Structure formats: structure tokens, C-alpha cells
Amino acid sequence: MGGVVWTVLLSSCLVGVGALTLARALGFDDVTPLAQLVSFTPWVALAALVVLLLSLSRRRWVLSAIAGVLVVAHAVWLVPFFVPGPGIAPGADGTLRVMAANVLYGRADARAVVEAVREQEVGLLSVVELSEEFEAELVAAGIEDVLPYSWTATHPTEGAAGSGMWSATPLTDEREGVASRFHQPSAVVEVDGTSVRVTAVHPHPPTPENVDLWTGDLALLRDAAHADPAPQILLGDFNATFDHSAFRDLLGGRFADATRLAGQGVSLSWPAGRRYPPLVDLDHVVVDQGMRVDDVGAIAIPGTDHLAILATVQVRP
């Protein structure tokens, strides 16, 4: 391949990588197509590294310098995901094992969800895209044998709008939550004497024609969470990644993403059940300041396009 062709090819790649990097850095991700493309920022980091190596191999020093700056920027964003936090001491009190699952309009395997709850010793389950039929299937599969207390909100016609939670201990102060179209119910659970508000999160997705609903839902959730002084755990399908400014605004200086806190790498959860691995991290467990996490991970549930995310949360270190 000729020298000019290499220069044009590498320059073109660098423009694309640079544009998405700049969008992530400046928070220009509330319009189409940036709202969708910023989800792939970890892959943009890989692309930046490839461009850097190719530029160096072809002795394109100016392009190499620009690509190097982009690689450094992505490293700053990615490295914290690989730095473990303090974790939870063995046998510590005040812990709650949580699981969040998007069940794809109620098409997931309810028995597999219940089996996962049993095997993972889950104490609090959040389910989004909950239909009335799937709720009945969970009950038939024995969810109430392990998590007898529940608070759900379903929609008779829109399967994506329903959400709910099941708990091993009583739920109190149930609230419907805030959202434009989807239910995001919350309730208080007692964890070794500490009252914790838990919210099943599911804002509207950033589809090209509804980015405003997505940003609005995340802003509503942010305002409600930060206005409540009670210790909180928010878990579910946020339809946003850590690279979205709206998600980082939701966290603010108070909340933390359990995956980033655990330091075990980026947890990619969607799309699942394909011939290729998940590409973006839409599903999160978000914990309040001072809380610790451990055993953060994800498992596949047949019939849905999201991995279920799990975490052990110490609500009172």
C-alpha cells in the first residue's frame, strides 16, 4: 500500500476516533448519533491504540503523536476500572447480595432467573421489562420461596415499561419512582439494622427519536436520588454507560458504579445471547457513598439480550 494511501487511511481513522473521544471528553453525548456511539468508547480506545501502532510502524510521526494523546486520554478513563477498591472483609456484617436482570419484554426464562437467585444467594432482585405474564411465571418457578416480598409495577400493553423487585426481607415505604414512560419502583429494605432504599432502574433508551426522553429520565432519577438522604442502592438497566455524561452526572460526588469500584475491569452486558460477546455496559449496580462492594459479576439468562449483573454490597462498612 502506497505512502499516500496509508496517510489518508490513518488520518481518516484518526478523525473518527478523535471525534468520539472529544464527544466523550466534553460530554457532547445528548444528541443522535453521539448518544448511541459514545456507548462504544472502550472499543474506541482499542481503535486508538491500533491507529497509534500503525502510525508508528509507518513512521507517521504527527499522526502518531495525535494518536498517542488519544490513547492516554482513554487510559485515564479505563485504568480506574482495573484498580480494586477496598472490598469487603470476610464475614463482615451489613451485606446484601443483589441481582439486576432485564428480561426482554418478559421473554426470559423465569426458571433460570430463580435458579440464579438460589445459586448466587441473592437477597434482593431487580427485574425490568417485567410483564404481568413473566411475573406469574416467576411465582410459578418459586421466586416467593426464596424472595417472598415484592413490589412490582407492570404495564398492560407495553412490556418494556414494567419493573419490580423481590426481597428476602420485608419491603417498606414503596414508591412508584420517577420516569417518563417506564416504571422505576423503589422500596426500603433493612440490612442488619440499616434502612436502605433500593430502586429498580430503567430509563427510556436513547433511541434516535427519543434521546430527550433518555436524558430526561436520567435527570429525574439523579434529582430524586440526590434529594433523598437515605442510604441507597440503584440497580438495573440504566441504558447508559459510564462514558455517558448523563450517567456520570447521576453519580455526582455521592454515588459509585459497583463495577468500577470493584476494579475487575469493564463489565459489558449488552447485547447478550449473540454469536459475539456483549459490546457495551448498560446494566449497573450503583451504590451510595461509603458502601463497599465485592463479588461483582454477570451471568447469562436464556431468552434475554442482557446479562444479569450481581454484586455483594456492604451498606455499613
Side-chain angles (χ1 to χ4, degrees), residues 150-154 161-165 171-179 182-189 195-201 220-232 234 254:
S150 62
W151 169 235
T152 64
T154 57
S163 298
M165 61 183 70
L171 297 170
T172 60
D173 193 15
E174 295 96 338
R175 300 178 186 175
E176 294 185 358
V178 292
F182 296 172
H183 297 298
Q184 298 188 94
S186 72
V188 171
V189 62
S195 298
V196 180
R197 176 161 296 281
V198 181
T199 302
V201 175
L220 287 170
L221 183 63
R222 176 199 65 205
D223 293 345
H226 283 268
D228 190 341
Q232 295 177 66
L234 303 94
R254 174 175 175 181

Side-chain angles (χ1 to χ4, degrees), residues 5-314:
V5 175
W6 268 112
T7 300
V8 171
L9 178 61
L10 291 172
S11 297
S12 299
C13 293
L14 202 56
V15 168
V17 170
L20 291 177
T21 303
L22 194 63
R24 198 286 190 195
L26 300 180
F28 293 158
D29 55 9
D30 57 354
V31 295
T32 298
L34 296 179
Q36 297 81 22
L37 293 177
V38 166
S39 301
F40 297 93
T41 294
W43 299 103
V44 176
L46 179 60
L49 181 60
V50 170
V51 172
L52 172 60
L53 294 176
L54 288 174
S55 298
L56 289 171
S57 70
R58 294 292 163 176
R59 299 182 181 180
R60 301 304 192 270
W61 307 123
V62 173
L63 296 181
S64 297
I66 297 172
V69 171
L70 297 178
V71 168
V72 169
H74 284 279
V76 169
W77 297 331
L78 281 172
V79 165
F81 282 92
F82 296 88
V83 179
I88 301 173
D93 294 329
T95 63
L96 177 66
R97 182 70 167 162
V98 301
M99 172 176 162
N102 180 316
V103 296
L104 187 60
Y105 309 112
R107 299 172 188 167
D109 186 332
R111 291 185 179 275
V113 173
V114 175
E115 288 174 5
V117 168
R118 292 182 188 276
E119 292 174 0
Q120 294 290 330
E121 299 181 343
V122 171
L124 191 290
L125 169 69
S126 164
V127 177
V128 300
E129 300 201 12
L130 174 69
S131 65
E132 294 178 354
E133 294 77 12
F134 190 80
E135 183 174 357
E137 290 172 10
L138 279 177
V139 173
I143 189 65
E144 293 178 340
D145 295 335
V146 282
L147 302 177
Y149 304 96
S150 62
W151 169 235
T152 64
T154 57
H155 193 282
T157 59
E158 189 171 357
S163 298
M165 61 183 70
W166 279 260
S167 173
T169 56
L171 297 170
T172 60
D173 193 15
E174 295 96 338
R175 300 178 186 175
E176 294 185 358
V178 292
S180 59
R181 295 182 181 176
F182 296 172
H183 297 298
Q184 298 188 94
S186 72
V188 171
V189 62
E190 293 290 325
V191 183
D192 290 338
T194 299
S195 298
V196 180
R197 176 161 296 281
V198 181
T199 302
V201 175
H202 193 212
H204 199 283
T207 51
E209 67 279 10
N210 288 312
V211 172
D212 57 333
L213 291 179
W214 170 68
T215 56
D217 274 1
L218 287 170
L220 287 170
L221 183 63
R222 176 199 65 205
D223 293 345
H226 283 268
D228 190 341
Q232 295 177 66
I233 300 172
L234 303 94
L235 69 164
D237 173 10
F238 285 72
N239 275 314
T241 75
F242 193 89
D243 294 302
H244 284 113
S245 59
F247 182 76
R248 298 194 303 275
D249 287 346
L250 188 158
L251 298 179
R254 174 175 175 181
F255 296 100
D257 181 3
T259 298
R260 194 168 188 261
L261 204 58
Q264 300 170 354
V266 179
S267 178
L268 306 179
S269 62
W270 180 88
R274 304 293 199 272
R275 294 181 178 179
Y276 51 87
L279 299 174
V280 295
D281 58 326
L282 300 182
D283 301 85
H284 306 269
V285 174
V286 169
V287 299
D288 215 328
Q289 58 186 347
M291 293 184 180
R292 295 185 178 184
V293 299
D294 215 335
D295 296 325
V296 178
I299 58 173
I301 301 293
T304 179
D305 59 346
H306 286 252
L307 296 181
I309 187 168
L310 300 112
T312 299
V313 182
Q314 186 179 24

